[in-house]
Amino acid sequence: MTKYQAVGIGNAVVDVICRSDDAFLDRMDIEKGVMQLIDAARAEELLTAMANRAQSAGGSVANTIAGLAALGLETGFVGRVRDDELGRSYAHDLTRLGAEFVNPPAPNGALPTSRCMIFVSPDGERSMNTYLGISTELGPDDVPAGVAEAAGLLLLEGYLFDKPDAKTALADAAAACRKAGGKAGISLSDPFCVDRHRADFRALIGGLDYVIGNEHEWASLYEERQLEDALARACEDCDLVICTRSGAGVIIIEKGKRIDVDVTRADPVDTTGAGDQFAAGFLYGLATGAPLDVAGRMGCIAAGEVIGHYGARPETDVKALFAAEGLV
């Protein structure tokens, strides 16, 4: 079994992007500038209509794993795709980036591979149509034996909490990772997801080593109006708490000891993937033994790089950016 420095378990969603004008959006009845959930039939209709499309392996934790692979770590990703064109494309794309897609596309999946179809208008507006598909059906059988045990760091995706089988898969993987000596954690993903599954999130967090969330997610998890109150309660449940606050800096609390990491404010081109790449930078620091303040700064640098261009993946050598600041 390969020894991984980091493994992620998350939604496997193919991002399919094409440029389109407003006339096309009107003709296809696509609402401009919003994200809509669609069914399988609509997904196939839109996919067929996309000319000159580009595809990449997406999903929150998958983006983080891609960032870690780009930084040179040995990484793996667990996500459910079907053995169809998009599913095979997803597995190939992650492998090309240097991450191992450890569970093969499902040959008998009942649902097609998940996809988010993104139509980019000439004014830069993005209109997204998402078909959730097979990725939400992930369960314990999709996590190959020994993978979680082989992970130095395991990152779980909060979005998967919408299905009972996925909750079981995440809890089992976290327990296996920790029993083998690794560290397991979760990205809270979304305040609305936290709202739907608050009790389950709280129960899982008590058995994790670290939790990453933004200020809205932490406030939602503990139903507190004041962030400081929410973080104080979080520290009772987990030893390492990480809170991002957009341009207001990052709070890291380990066993009651607080570290504040400043950020350099910048006007974003596209905030897609900012949280995902913060997690990549921070976990890179954690995996390589950096002090927590340095790991936090790495996370901020990685997030700053990705908001400077379109897309959720780094386009420059982030490790070189770390070196330029004397962090590696």
Side-chain angles (χ1 to χ4, degrees), residues 20-128:
S20 56
D21 56 24
D22 289 352
F24 174 86
L25 298 182
D26 290 340
R27 187 168 67 253
M28 298 301 298
D29 196 25
I30 297 169
E31 188 172 353
K32 185 175 180 179
V34 302
M35 195 284 283
Q36 294 177 298
L37 293 177
I38 57 176
D39 62 18
R42 175 68 166 163
E44 288 302 318
E45 177 189 15
L46 293 180
L47 186 66
T48 301
M50 298 179 83
N52 301 313
R53 70 192 193 211
Q55 298 173 187
S56 63
S60 177
V61 164
N63 287 333
T64 297
I65 292 299
L68 286 167
L71 285 164
L73 295 195
E74 292 290 332
T75 59
F77 178 74
V78 178
R80 187 167 172 80
V81 298
R82 187 174 176 176
D83 189 7
D84 54 20
E85 179 202 347
L86 289 181
R88 292 187 292 272
S89 170
Y90 191 100
H92 173 76
D93 188 45
L94 267 187
T95 302
R96 178 184 59 82
L97 293 168
E100 183 179 353
F101 192 80
V102 299
N103 55 323
N108 300 311
L111 299 174
T113 295
S114 308
R115 76 287 305 261
C116 178
M117 285 157 290
I118 305 166
F119 300 89
V120 183
S121 303
D123 61 2
E125 193 74 70
R126 291 185 164 206
S127 308
M128 296 185 287

Side-chain angles (χ1 to χ4, degrees), residues 238-259:
C238 184
D239 284 346
L240 181 56
V241 171
I242 305 100
C243 177
T244 60
R245 298 178 294 162
S246 297
V250 176
I251 299 170
I252 301 170
I253 308 175
E254 183 184 35
K255 297 180 179 179
K257 182 180 179 181
R258 174 167 170 159
I259 299 168

